[in-house]
Structures are given as structure tokens and as C-alpha cells.
Amino acid sequence: MNNPWIYKGKSILSLDVIPNYENVVGFVYRIIGPDGRIYIGKKVLHTSRKTRISKKEKIQTATRKTFKRVVKESNWLEYYGSCEELKKDIKKLGKQHFKREILVLCCTKKFLSFSELEYQIKNDVLKTNSYNGNILSRYFG
């Protein structure tokens, strides 16, 4: 990987490098472009979805349930934000020109959402030259 996440000055290449990663739900991040434009967002480390249990698995586990929860690691290592304008710039200029920083690690989804909003407001993303076009899909620049 040629462009890792940076947290407190250190490169993050896997989950086990993150302090106390078993309790971390996600992180708030900042991506800085070559022209100094920023994007602030949040990313969860694991995704969870419901899947149907097969007949074979029901027999093996002796369960009557029809669904189970499957948890897997998200694509956080390769992630560059959800902003379409940012994605176009990354495709045009190359990933190596964008700096990815983890600002804060969060242990609950509520704190993750709160922290994202806090950093967006602190960095005044709606008034400055940033990739963030809105906050909470409610407030627009």
C-alpha cells in the first residue's frame, strides 16, 4: 500500500496496529488534497448483515433460527471517502497526492457520528474550500 492512513504520526496498515482495536467501532478522518482542500468523514471498521441460514447449517448447529448475523471487516484500508467530487480528483490526480489522516478513534456509533459533526464544524467545512458540500445532508455550503 503506497498511501496508508496516518494516526498520531504513525502509518496504520492493519487493525492490530490500532490501539485497543477490539473496542473501536470506527474513526473520523480527514483527507487533504494537493491543493489543500480537505474532506472530513467517518468510516466504520466492520460491517454487519443478516443472512439466511442454510438447511445444512441448521442441521449441523441444531438451531431453529432462519437468519444469522455475519460481521466482516470493511474496506477501510482502501477507502477514500464518499464524495463524488473527491473521487474524481483522486482518479484524475492519483491516490499518492492525497494525505489520509485518522483524527479520532470511536468506540460507539453515536460517538462516531457526533465526532464527525464536531470536526466538520471545527474545520468550518461549509465556508472554506472543502470537498464537504453538506453536513448531515441538512446544512449546505
Side-chain angles (χ1 to χ4, degrees):
M1 170 178 275
N2 58 357
N3 193 12
W5 287 103
I6 305 296
Y7 179 63
K8 293 186 177 180
K10 296 181 182 175
S11 294
I12 303 292
L13 300 171
S14 66
L15 274 179
D16 54 353
V17 180
I18 295 173
N20 201 15
Y21 77 92
E22 302 90 2
N23 298 325
V24 175
V25 170
F27 57 86
V28 176
Y29 63 88
R30 174 175 42 212
I31 297 177
I32 305 170
D35 58 354
R37 265 177 100 182
I38 64 168
Y39 179 75
I40 294 178
K42 65 182 176 182
K43 185 65 181 165
V44 293
L45 295 176
H46 293 92
T47 57
S48 173
R49 64 185 179 95
K50 255 170 66 170
T51 58
R52 188 173 290 279
I53 297 175
S54 68
K55 289 181 182 178
K56 184 178 178 181
E57 192 176 353
K58 274 186 172 187
I59 293 168
Q60 289 173 343
T61 59
T63 185
R64 296 184 338 175
K65 295 181 180 179
T66 53
F67 292 98
K68 66 178 178 178
R69 286 240 166 252
V70 177
V71 177
K72 69 175 196 167
E73 191 174 330
S74 71
N75 65 337
W76 68 275
L77 272 174
E78 300 88 32
Y79 192 70
Y80 277 87
S82 59
C83 173
E84 289 303 319
E85 187 180 3
L86 174 62
K87 287 180 186 179
K88 285 178 188 173
D89 281 356
I90 289 170
K91 193 172 186 179
K92 184 171 70 176
L93 301 171
K95 292 179 178 179
Q96 68 276 11
H97 296 290
F98 291 82
K99 183 179 178 186
R100 303 187 303 164
E101 303 174 326
I102 295 175
L103 300 173
V104 63
L105 300 172
C106 303
C107 293
T108 66
K109 285 189 174 185
K110 284 181 181 180
F111 185 65
L112 180 62
S113 295
F114 172 79
S115 295
E116 178 192 27
L117 177 62
E118 178 184 31
Y119 277 93
Q120 287 173 337
I121 290 170
K122 279 181 180 178
N123 288 273
D124 211 6
V125 296
L126 296 181
K127 292 182 181 175
T128 60
N129 186 20
S130 75
Y131 287 103
N132 292 85
N134 68 73
I135 294 177
L136 298 173
S137 297
R138 183 174 288 180
Y139 307 106
F140 297 85

